[in-house]
Amino acid sequence: MTFPDENGFSVGDAARVRGVQGHTISQAYADGGIKAGAARAARLAYGVLSRRKAAEEGVARLARVLSALDLTALGVGSTLGVGVYVLAGDVAKNYAGPAVVLSFLLAAVASVFAGLCYAEFGARVPKAGSAYVYSYVCVGEFIAFIIGWNLILEYIIGDSAASVVKALSEYLDSLLDKSISSQLYSWMPIDSPHLAKYPDLFAFLVIMLFSVGLAFGVKESTKFNNFCTGVNLCVVLFVIISGSFKADTKNWRIPESEVPHDGKKNFGSGGFAPYGLAGVVKGAAVCFYGFIGFDCVATAGEEARRPQKSIPFAVVVSLLVVFLAYFGVSSVLTLMMPYYMQDEKAPFPFVYDQLGWTWAKYAVSVGAICALLSSLLGAVFPLPRIIYAMSSDGLLFRWLGAVSEKHQTPLVGTMVAGLLTGTLAMIFELEQLIHMMSIGTLLAYSMVASCVMLLRYQSSQSPHRAPEPVRPCVRGLLRQCVNLDRVTSPSPLSSTVATTLVTLYDLQTAVLEAISRQPVSEKKLAFSVPLVPWLPGVSVLLNVYLMLNLDHATWIRFAVWIAAGE
């Protein structure tokens, strides 16, 4: 166990850093020349960049008002967005056919792996900041900054507030026969190929309204989210029930002779999986992004009433609810109409039109609007907490972490985040925002899974005695890799071996067997990831695979953003 000092760092880490600073680089250079000075500089840099926060809860500065139901609704609302009304038709037509249900299943499994890792850390470190705080506790300041900086990018642009509010604006504009866009374009046209055709003041005002609501009352905002999420789930249930009356299993057994081939588009070979296993896997990669958003639950660690239990519960239940919704919607959609006839952008209004159920389109529209509103709240919620956590640690300007004494919310961070996302939504097109893919989110998922493995095999040192030195030899390391001595409690040597193997695992998967033979930590948690290291190890592999499938432009933007943060 470690005890946090006034800055939140463990006593051992703070003492180590102070010790490094006690002998300056210039003194080392004077005593031993360039080599000694360079070694001292390297140790100083390592000591600063690798210092870690204590895992204890500490004093919460934010109001603990959120129940398990509030957190679950927040996770469902931020994850089950408008994609439930769009994604199934797109994947069915272009990637997997009726086997879209299997694509959603694979994507759900990958998301559950990541979700279980988040659930354990939510029980272990119930603080605001999500993956940023988790990596700070386990790995160190440098990696934590990279994770936090990229989460800021993702929450601002990639799959959150700016893109969601822009989608809401365009959806309402289409329902009103383009009256909003035509009026704003006539008032304030923008003549630039890299910006929107007009400033979307509606999107800006909506996101600022949500930001003000969150800044002056988290509990009240979550009540609104609970209502929108409930309506959204009711509409999803309506879609599943109404679609089941027109379901026909023949649409899952279409012979290849009946599949159209027009030369422009190949619709596969018919049957349940017309595009084969490769299509199912490609569809799963697309469907995975429909599950992104549950991690916002983990950012509420300081605002949950019983975070050690409610956060794991909310993460797991929200992913289960979202999967059942996607599975049910994709099943009835492909049973109602052949996969190759689906409309990628608005599958259910199109299907209901074909069936002559025009009235049903309005129910879907209500559900889509509520889904966008709950997604928007779930998107606006996490960013201020990331900013609050980083500024509290001194990695961003400290004034960004100011907390309202009356409302106990990160007031300044919330309003700054609202201004940033509102401005981006106002001046950019939706397509430009969506192209900022979720590389930061996948990186965060991988880091959290790696941190679970690191902490599970970490040795516990008493804070009142000096750390036991590690003097490894080749023979000792090899024996510890397979634990020939049957060590039952973590030691400095076993922790060193496990840490090294987790690092190597990012390059070589065969070391999982060696990691699994290391003695595990005896610390009792309210929730623990099962099958460690296998489950988090597979999670890392899946996340890395999805990251490698992102386009080059995304990696370039990622590199530029990291350079800007440095």
Side-chain angles (χ1 to χ4, degrees):
M1 180 177 289
T2 57
F3 295 93
D5 67 1
E6 61 183 3
N7 295 318
F9 299 105
S10 62
V11 171
D13 290 333
R16 184 180 72 249
V17 173
R18 286 194 293 269
V20 172
Q21 294 172 336
H23 191 190
T24 64
I25 297 174
S26 58
Q27 290 174 337
Y29 175 76
D31 294 340
I34 295 177
K35 184 176 181 180
R40 175 60 62 185
R43 284 194 292 271
L44 176 62
Y46 177 79
V48 173
L49 297 178
S50 64
R51 62 182 180 179
R52 297 179 294 169
K53 290 179 69 70
E56 279 73 13
E57 179 178 349
V59 179
R61 298 170 59 197
L62 306 181
R64 292 196 178 278
V65 295
L66 301 182
S67 65
L69 177 61
D70 295 330
L71 293 173
T72 303
L74 184 65
V76 173
S78 60
T79 308
L80 192 65
V82 76
V84 72
Y85 304 101
V86 177
L87 204 57
D90 179 31
V91 175
K93 184 173 184 177
N94 298 315
Y95 296 96
V100 61
V101 294
L102 298 182
S103 295
F104 275 116
L105 178 61
L106 291 176
V109 170
S111 300
V112 166
F113 286 168
L116 290 174
C117 296
Y118 269 87
E120 174 169 325
F121 262 109
R124 188 186 290 270
V125 191
K127 296 182 71 66
S130 186
Y132 160 73
V133 170
Y134 301 163
S135 56
Y136 210 151
V137 167
C138 185
V139 183
E141 185 172 294
F142 179 69
I143 297 298
F145 172 77
I146 292 179
I147 295 295
W149 190 245
N150 277 282
L151 285 176
I152 290 175
L153 171 67
E154 292 305 313
Y155 283 130
I156 290 177
I157 302 176
D159 21 70
S160 59
S163 57
V164 173
V165 75
K166 193 69 175 182
L168 175 62
S169 175
E170 293 190 1
Y171 191 86
L172 290 175
D173 186 46
S174 64
L175 290 179
L176 298 174
D177 197 24
K178 305 294 182 181
S179 59
I180 298 177
S181 58
S182 59
Q183 192 65 49
L184 289 174
Y185 182 74
S186 65
W187 287 348
M188 295 171 288
I190 298 178
D191 187 15
S192 173
H194 304 293
L195 301 176
K197 296 179 181 179
Y198 59 91
D200 195 340
L201 297 178
F202 176 81
F204 180 83
L205 291 174
V206 168
I207 206 162
M208 290 307 301
L209 181 64
F210 272 69
S211 298
V212 170
L214 279 173
F216 293 100
V218 172
K219 184 62 178 178
E220 292 74 14
S221 300
T222 54
K223 289 180 180 178
F224 174 75
N225 177 72
N226 294 350
F227 171 77
C228 290
T229 301
V231 173
N232 185 22
L233 290 176
C234 289
V235 172
V236 168
L237 190 61
F238 162 77
V239 168
I240 295 173
I241 294 175
S242 63
S244 63
F245 287 104
K246 292 292 183 178
D248 188 349
T249 57
K250 292 181 179 178
N251 290 322
W252 281 16
R253 296 179 283 107
I254 299 174
E256 185 174 3
S257 59
E258 297 182 12
V259 177
H261 298 281
D262 56 6
K264 296 181 180 180
K265 175 67 177 179
N266 179 17
F267 291 106
S269 58
F272 181 70
Y275 301 99
L277 180 61
V280 174
V281 175
K282 288 181 180 179
V286 177
C287 292
F288 178 81
Y289 296 103
F291 290 89
I292 289 177
F294 70 86
D295 54 317
C296 77
V297 174
T299 65
E302 285 190 34
E303 292 160 288
R305 293 173 184 168
R306 302 173 62 191
Q308 288 90 346
K309 294 184 178 180
S310 59
I311 289 180
F313 174 84
V315 168
V316 174
V317 172
S318 61
L319 281 175
L320 177 62
V321 171
V322 170
F323 165 68
L324 292 176
Y326 278 131
F327 189 88
V329 164
S330 59
S331 296
V332 298
L333 184 66
T334 52
L335 286 169
M336 291 166 69
M337 181 176 291
Y339 69 92
Y340 53 81
M341 294 178 60
Q342 301 289 339
D343 185 279
E344 299 102 315
K345 295 184 178 180
F348 283 103
F350 177 76
V351 169
Y352 287 137
D353 266 341
Q354 297 297 311
L355 296 176
W357 295 0
T358 307
W359 58 271
K361 292 196 302 183
Y362 298 104
V364 173
S365 296
V366 171
I369 292 173
C370 287
L372 284 167
L373 291 173
S374 56
S375 293
L376 180 57
L377 184 66
V380 174
F381 184 86
L383 178 57
R385 280 124 189 101
I386 300 293
I387 295 175
Y388 158 77
M390 295 184 70
S391 60
S392 298
D393 294 331
L395 300 185
L396 292 177
F397 297 114
R398 288 196 178 273
W399 58 267
L400 289 171
V403 176
S404 168
E405 294 184 3
K406 180 180 180 180
H407 304 285
Q408 292 183 284
T409 57
L411 180 62
V412 176
T414 301
M415 299 311 299
V416 169
L419 285 171
L420 284 173
T421 53
T423 302
L424 289 171
M426 182 172 60
I427 63 176
F428 285 106
E429 298 280 6
L430 177 61
E431 185 179 359
Q432 294 168 315
L433 295 171
I434 292 176
H435 283 174
M436 296 295 291
M437 300 293 284
S438 305
I439 187 171
T441 303
L442 292 171
L443 180 63
Y445 286 0
S446 300
M447 183 55 63
V448 170
S450 298
C451 288
V452 166
M453 290 191 284
L454 287 172
L455 287 183
R456 188 62 65 87
Y457 297 101
Q458 189 180 67
S459 63
S460 300
Q461 292 278 341
S462 171
H464 303 293
R465 61 173 180 168
E468 181 182 340
V470 180
R471 299 185 179 89
C473 61
V474 175
R475 181 182 178 185
L477 287 173
L478 292 177
R479 291 181 64 86
Q480 186 59 49
C481 279
V482 292
N483 200 14
L484 288 178
D485 298 325
R486 302 299 183 204
V487 178
T488 58
S489 298
S491 65
L493 177 59
S494 71
S495 296
T496 301
V497 170
T499 300
T500 304
L501 292 176
V502 170
T503 304
L504 291 175
Y505 172 71
D506 293 334
L507 304 174
Q508 182 89 27
T509 61
V511 300
L512 269 182
E513 174 62 26
I515 296 175
S516 68
R517 290 179 175 268
Q518 306 311 308
V520 300
S521 172
E522 298 176 353
K523 185 173 182 178
K524 301 299 182 181
L525 301 172
F527 177 85
S528 297
V529 175
L531 301 177
V532 173
W534 306 102
L535 192 148
V538 172
S539 178
V540 172
L541 274 182
L542 290 172
N543 294 328
V544 170
Y545 170 77
L546 291 171
M547 290 171 67
L548 293 177
N549 278 275
L550 299 177
D551 55 41
H552 293 88
T554 299
W555 283 96
I556 293 173
R557 287 190 290 266
F558 172 74
V560 171
W561 181 254
I562 289 294
E566 298 296 333

